[in-house]
Amino acid sequence: MRVPLSWLSEFVDVELTPEQLAERLTLLGMEVKSLERWGADWQNVVIGELLTVANHPRADRLHLTTVTVGDGREPLSIVCGANNIAPGQRIPVALPGAVLPGDRRIERTEKMGVVSNGMLCSGDELRLTGDAEGILILPSDAPLGVPMADLYGDVVLDVDVKPNRGDALSILGLAREVAAATRQHARQPVVTVEEGSGPTTGERLAVDVRDPALCPRFVGRYVSGVTVGRSPDWVQMRLLAAGQRPISNVVDASNYVMLELGKPIHTFDAGAVHVGPDGRRQVIVRRAADGERLQTLDHIDRELTGDTLLIADPEGALAVAGVMGGADSEVSDATTDVIVESAIFDPVSIRRTAFRLALRSEASSRFEKGQEPRMARLGADRTAQLLHEWAGGVIAPGVVDTAPDEPGRSRVSFRPARINHLLGTQLTADEQRELLARVEVETEHAQPGDRVNVALEPHLLAVVPDLSAAVTALVPTWRRDIAVEADVAEEIARVRGYELIPSVTPDTLMPEFRASPLEVRQLVRETLAGAGLTEVVTSALVSPRHIDTFVMAREVPSVEGEDQPGGDAIGVTNPLSRDHSLLRRNLLGSLVDVVAVNLRHGTPDVAVFETGKGYARDGNEPREWWRLGLALTGTGEPASWNRPARPYDLDDAKGILELLARRLGLPRPVYEADAGEAVFHPGRTARADAGADLHAIVGELHPDIADRWGLRTSQRVIVAEVALRGLSAGRLSPEKAHAVARFPEVERDLAIIVGEATAAASVEALVRANAGELLRDLSLFDIYRGVPLEPDEKSLAYRLRLGSPERTLTEAEVEAAVAAVVAALPGIGGRLRA
Amino acid sequence: MDLAQLTSDLEALRARATAAAADAPDTAALDALEVAVLGKKGDLTAILRGIGALPPQDRPKVGAIANDVRAAVESALGGARRRLSAAELAARLRAEAVDVTTPGRPIRRGSLHPIMETARQIADVFAQFGFVVYEGPEVEDDLTNFQMLNIPPDHPARDLWDTLYLDLDGRLLRTHTSPGQIRVMHRERPPIRALLPGRCFRYEAVDASHASEFFQVEGLMVDEGTSLADLKGLLDQFAHAMFGADRPTRFRPGYYPFTEPSVAFDILCVICNGEKCPACSRTGWMTILGAGMVHPVVLRYGGIDPERYQGFAFGMGVERIANLRHHVVDLRQYMEDDLRFLGAFR
């Protein structure tokens, strides 16, 4: 809400500086977003008086003028194109060197052979009024030579009015807030209506509200004989400062009332409204028929639905109630008689209609926050009066009013002790009542029958208070937001100032211990960062192309007990863009994107991880599961003067999985080749499992995908998706200490020759299965191919560490263990290398 | 051979051997000298062979001199050996010297994402005050995301949260972490001190200060006497932990449908320290979070009796806190994942 200080001052005295006022309002809950100096962009524009006006010798459309800007200063000759000027008028003069809004600079120029020492300004050029045709004619007492900004400058506060305070979406409402902040009372708007003679409103206008639930009150007035034209300059100035474009005196009057009182008003060209047999204009308030059509003011033909509230006449729709008028009944230059509609509509209905028609306006946003019934009458009267003053209309006596009984103040009871308990304050009941009085909330002792509403429907909780310790607030009709005891607490705290609330450290009971669900995620993050990977955070919403490309033939299963992947992707029905229209089912695509982005930025080495969720549907139920994703490409060990570079490969990714498994106390991952995933290189991809607590797929990105994703690199890209026990919520169990070997352990190296197709994992499994319980550790330390092996053979060299916690092993025990392994080798077509 | 001759030979050997030890160029020369003088076939033995020709009464005298010469030569050899081996070690160390000013062998450095780390730091601060972490689903329903938070359908306050709806019955992407309040209340009885970090989504065009995906941290505390003053005290502690103990704070009215009274919490602008700059919209203050006393209706929805219990909730944007701590001006950078940006963080 834009609030020109000059307008605000009509309702309340403002003695603070604009900055002080802004801060006080902010501390009262009416946050001032910005302070705008209206007129700060008029530099070197002063008030002058026209001395002479003559025709330009060489251009019919131009005038030569002389202008004085005050005693003792040379008159200026200025060329001007406007036709509304005459000697003796006071006008704004932009002197050479002046700057106008839009950073328009005015210099001494020559126009058709005549020098012009500046420019006479229109209202539009100063953004003061909407008139771009003529020069802005100032009052004859405007002081000569004085800068325009001194006289017409203003300060405009931009106030962020929250949705619960529809009453403050007006100059009057904010004046009340200023009054509360400065211990004054706002001046009530004094609305005098100078009614004419002739037929009464009731004799000219019939209003038939057929749906009183959606239109609880309709006040109509009739103004005849208006002359549609421009509003007075000062009106245009105010509207513009408040952010409202001047249109015509009739439309401006309704907008003025909306801004001043917060009451949206609609004006109809009475000539376009059907006349009944009794001579009265017939206005009907009803729901639209399904499929009924109306061309709205913006000249769009709209199809309406049955829950749209209409203002109509017997022949059809005239306007969408509270949202937008119709083109046919719009006030135009030819309009002579005006029907003023000042109605109360159901907030929900207006909001729904405005959303459905995508026509949210200043008016609809006020209606949807709820309107004070009293304002219906006030608004109608005020508008009629302004039409009389600005458009010369005759106001028909009386009003048509469908619900003239106005509700009084509502009773909201509260317990001062309870307020203190909530706020942490120690205010007496009288102090609380005094604070409420500052926002015009009256109070009295609670009466028998008064209930303290702790909560309203649908969870109503109304308490019978101890009458001696309860107070009842009589809430003014405009404060629809004060309904329960907690609302009263806020009002008291706010008026007193939140800065006076004590600041204490809580000393109430502590909750029971609960382990953080982030424990495992935290260890994973720190481990990976320590291993040289950078954590990334990517969007969970991806494109259909993502979903279709990064699809798994066999999902990486979640650990037992958690949501399992699989199923269709969940879509957003109102996405911001196609690129963010579906929830991802895995992290692979997002991480490939990170690789792509960094390659584009000229960062060739990328080692990243993310912990995030996959999402999919199971019928109509959503599922979410936690995953760890990795992507590696480029140099794993950067080159240096003392070492050559080494690119990342699959073994780095596996090493990371093994590191994680070690840090989490899991068995070493076991790998199995997987050639069946379109996303992955068929010969360089493994499934990994570490017991039941870690499942992963790890492999090189398929070159086709790298191509399709435009990865600009000749390096391999390794990606992995990992399901891990505890990633969603889990604790780290304490590590089990192992007794350090007190007896010497023995190492034996075995070179085992197997066929190329035999997986190292199966050789390792065989060794473990046969070496017996003395095997402490097993590691692969070399792979050899070549002479004297056959071409389709390889030799895997393992180091076995054997030992016992109880004794030093005998040579015979060691040999027996090795022999058992060797004896089993033929089972996998293997043999010991001689 | 007489006593005088033998004595003279021994003294000559002493003089020659000690001089040779002093002049030896290296320890090998000393070893050779030792063998030549003191060895079994050395000069000393050779001289003493002549002792048998002396009268018996002279023999002890020669023996005494010989022992004295042996001791003198050994001492000279020892001294020379110590001197020479120290010199040799020094020479070796000199030879082994490298240019220590070259850079070391590089170790790949990883880093943690500033948003995740900021969320963790926030949780660490509140953990000191007994707040424990909970998490809720990101795919929410309208009931929990809005209605149970006192935001009925068609309520104008819905404008505060532009929502992304899903093609699943009544589901949406949570617009804030606040539905976690309801989930915690359904699960725990007071005293409750809960912290709920997580990813949120809004229908929001992305620019330097708006994101459609972002992270929030929600807090909830409910007990019999938990008051607005407790909230203020706790938030002051939080601000001081995150922005310095001398950072002034401001507690002012705000608006959320699920809190009453509602609070906006500011810190003095970290850029201009209150001098009023563009970063703080020339107000001198920066809002870092919203909060308030849990609305009684929300407590009721959570199954908690608002006549017995009361509490507060707060919610903050992690990006906002991270921006202010790390002087990031464009929050799009957080999800662009440019390693040149992320590399600046620990």
Side-chain angles (χ1 to χ4, degrees), chain A residues 145-339:
Chain A
V146 170
M148 278 292 285
D150 289 1
L151 222 63
Y152 293 95
D154 204 343
V155 173
V156 181
L157 307 181
D158 190 4
V159 184
D160 179 21
V161 177
K162 303 297 185 187
N164 63 329
R165 291 299 305 276
D167 65 290
L169 278 173
S170 63
I171 304 292
L172 171 64
L174 284 166
R176 289 194 201 106
E177 294 292 308
V178 172
T182 55
R183 294 175 185 260
Q184 310 175 54
H185 278 295
R187 289 183 277 276
Q188 290 300 317
V190 183
V191 179
T192 51
V193 187
E194 296 163 58
E195 294 174 341
S197 53
T200 64
T201 304
E203 288 161 357
R204 288 177 165 275
L205 177 66
V207 175
D208 176 11
V209 175
R210 297 195 183 153
D211 198 329
L214 296 190
C215 177
R217 190 177 189 186
F218 187 116
V219 178
R221 273 208 176 258
Y222 196 97
V223 182
S224 58
V226 298
T227 306
V228 178
R230 289 200 165 278
S231 296
D233 286 337
W234 69 266
V235 174
Q236 297 189 40
M237 290 177 194
R238 268 197 180 168
L239 289 176
L240 271 171
Q244 194 80 40
R245 187 116 196 114
I247 294 164
S248 70
N249 46 13
V250 176
V251 176
D252 290 355
S254 59
N255 283 334
Y256 191 94
V257 172
M258 176 178 72
L259 294 173
E260 182 184 60
L261 303 180
K263 178 77 205 81
I265 302 284
H266 191 67
T267 50
F268 295 89
D269 180 346
V273 178
H274 181 80
V275 183
D278 56 1
R280 295 190 297 174
R281 306 276 166 186
Q282 311 268 299
V283 169
I284 301 164
V285 184
R286 61 167 171 85
R287 287 170 190 260
D290 270 323
E292 189 171 358
R293 305 189 79 85
L294 171 68
Q295 193 186 63
T296 42
L297 275 177
D298 50 8
H299 300 285
I300 293 174
D301 194 41
R302 296 176 187 273
E303 186 172 322
L304 308 170
T305 54
D307 54 356
T308 306
L309 190 67
L310 291 181
I311 311 297
D313 67 8
E315 286 166 7
L318 295 172
V320 180
V323 176
M324 192 178 254
D328 291 344
S329 58
E330 182 181 6
V331 170
S332 70
D333 289 353
T335 301
T336 57
D337 288 11
V338 172
I339 295 170

Side-chain angles (χ1 to χ4, degrees), chain A residues 352 360 415 418 460 490 498 501 503 521-522 535 537-540 573-574 598 615 617 624, chain B residues 108 111 113 120 135 138-139 154 159 163 165 167 187 199 213 232 236 262 300 306-307 337 339:
Chain A
R352 284 190 185 157
R360 303 194 67 204
R415 296 157 292 183
R418 180 82 195 168
L460 180 69
E490 176 173 84
Y498 275 27
I501 298 287
S503 173
R521 230 177 291 158
Q522 191 61 27
E535 184 178 31
V537 174
T538 61
S539 178
T573 56
N574 59 331
N598 281 287
Y615 315 76
R617 67 171 72 233
E624 302 176 13
Chain B
R108 244 200 116 83
S111 63
H113 196 279
R120 190 186 59 75
E135 290 184 295
E138 292 166 27
V139 175
D154 301 303
D159 290 354
T163 308
Y165 294 95
D167 56 2
R187 200 170 140 157
R199 189 189 287 255
E213 284 184 47
K232 190 177 189 183
D236 279 343
S262 297
R300 296 273 279 174
E307 269 296 90
D337 291 314
L339 295 182

Side-chain angles (χ1 to χ4, degrees), chain A residues 572-578 580-581, chain B residues 164 203:
Chain A
V572 176
T573 56
N574 59 331
L576 280 147
S577 72
R578 227 173 122 68
H580 299 282
S581 57
Chain B
L164 289 166
Y203 184 87

Side-chain angles (χ1 to χ4, degrees), chain B:
Chain B
M1 194 64 68
D2 58 13
L3 176 61
Q5 181 64 44
L6 268 175
T7 306
S8 151
D9 286 353
L10 284 171
E11 289 305 331
L13 179 62
R14 178 203 304 259
R16 182 167 55 79
T18 51
D23 291 347
D26 51 31
T27 49
L30 285 178
D31 292 343
L33 181 65
E34 184 168 9
V35 171
V37 175
L38 303 178
K40 279 183 187 156
K41 295 175 184 170
D43 297 342
L44 185 61
T45 311
I47 293 170
L48 291 179
R49 249 184 232 121
I51 207 166
L54 292 183
Q57 71 275 19
D58 289 345
R59 288 178 192 170
K61 292 178 187 162
V62 175
I65 295 167
N67 282 340
D68 192 43
V69 169
R70 175 179 291 274
V73 173
E74 279 174 348
S75 159
L77 284 169
R81 190 165 271 125
R82 281 194 295 279
R83 178 173 50 77
L84 283 175
S85 61
E88 277 169 21
L89 179 62
R92 195 184 103 211
L93 296 179
R94 258 197 312 281
E96 285 173 355
V98 296
D99 179 356
V100 297
T101 65
T102 56
R105 185 162 288 116
I107 294 174
R108 244 200 116 83
R109 178 186 89 95
S111 63
L112 293 170
H113 196 279
I115 292 305
M116 297 294 112
E117 276 302 275
T118 303
R120 190 186 59 75
Q121 288 153 4
I122 293 167
D124 282 353
V125 173
F126 286 105
Q128 280 201 23
F129 297 96
F131 282 73
V132 291
V133 173
Y134 294 77
E135 290 184 295
E138 292 166 27
V139 175
E140 265 292 2
D141 48 40
D142 192 271
L143 194 65
T144 321
N145 195 75
F146 288 123
Q147 297 174 42
M148 287 181 161
L149 291 167
N150 197 29
I151 313 163
D154 301 303
H155 192 278
R158 287 213 175 198
D159 290 354
L160 300 175
W161 300 273
D162 291 317
T163 308
L164 289 166
Y165 294 95
L166 298 176
D167 56 2
L168 277 178
D169 275 349
R171 309 289 176 138
L172 44 81
L173 286 166
R174 67 175 173 195
T175 56
H176 48 182
T177 43
S178 305
Q181 292 181 33
I182 299 291
R183 294 181 178 275
V184 168
M185 284 190 277
H186 282 169
R187 200 170 140 157
E188 309 283 353
R189 294 294 89 195
I192 292 172
R193 298 190 189 192
L195 206 69
L196 292 134
R199 189 189 287 255
C200 304
F201 301 79
R202 297 219 184 134
Y203 184 87
E204 183 108 55
V206 175
D207 63 24
S209 45
H210 298 91
S212 63
E213 284 184 47
F214 54 96
F215 290 80
Q216 281 194 340
V217 175
E218 188 89 6
L220 173 71
M221 176 166 169
V222 179
D223 198 4
E224 291 185 355
T226 302
S227 73
L228 191 64
D230 290 323
L231 172 62
K232 190 177 189 183
L234 189 71
L235 294 183
D236 279 343
Q237 300 265 358
F238 169 71
H240 295 157
M242 297 298 277
F243 301 101
D246 50 356
R247 175 70 32 191
T249 62
R250 193 168 77 166
F251 202 65
R252 63 184 172 88
Y255 170 71
Y256 302 96
F258 38 90
T259 50
E260 189 75 34
S262 297
V263 172
F265 187 67
D266 304 339
I267 57 172
L268 197 70
C269 177
V270 297
I271 306 297
C272 67
N273 285 317
E275 297 293 318
K276 302 185 180 183
C277 69
C280 56
S281 303
R282 305 194 186 284
T283 62
W285 296 90
M286 293 176 139
T287 304
I288 60 166
L289 59 84
M293 300 303 291
V294 181
H295 197 288
V297 160
V298 176
L299 289 172
R300 296 273 279 174
Y301 273 117
I304 290 176
D305 177 8
E307 269 296 90
R308 177 169 174 200
Y309 294 109
Q310 57 188 38
F312 58 72
F314 55 84
M316 67 188 92
V318 179
E319 285 82 355
R320 174 80 174 151
I321 305 292
N323 282 353
L324 299 183
R325 277 167 65 80
H326 300 295
H327 298 263
V328 173
V329 292
D330 186 342
L331 59 73
R332 281 172 293 200
Q333 292 181 290
Y334 292 123
M335 280 213 193
E336 276 170 4
D337 291 314
D338 185 333
L339 295 182
R340 294 170 299 179
F341 170 75
L342 294 179
F345 299 92
R346 277 198 280 273

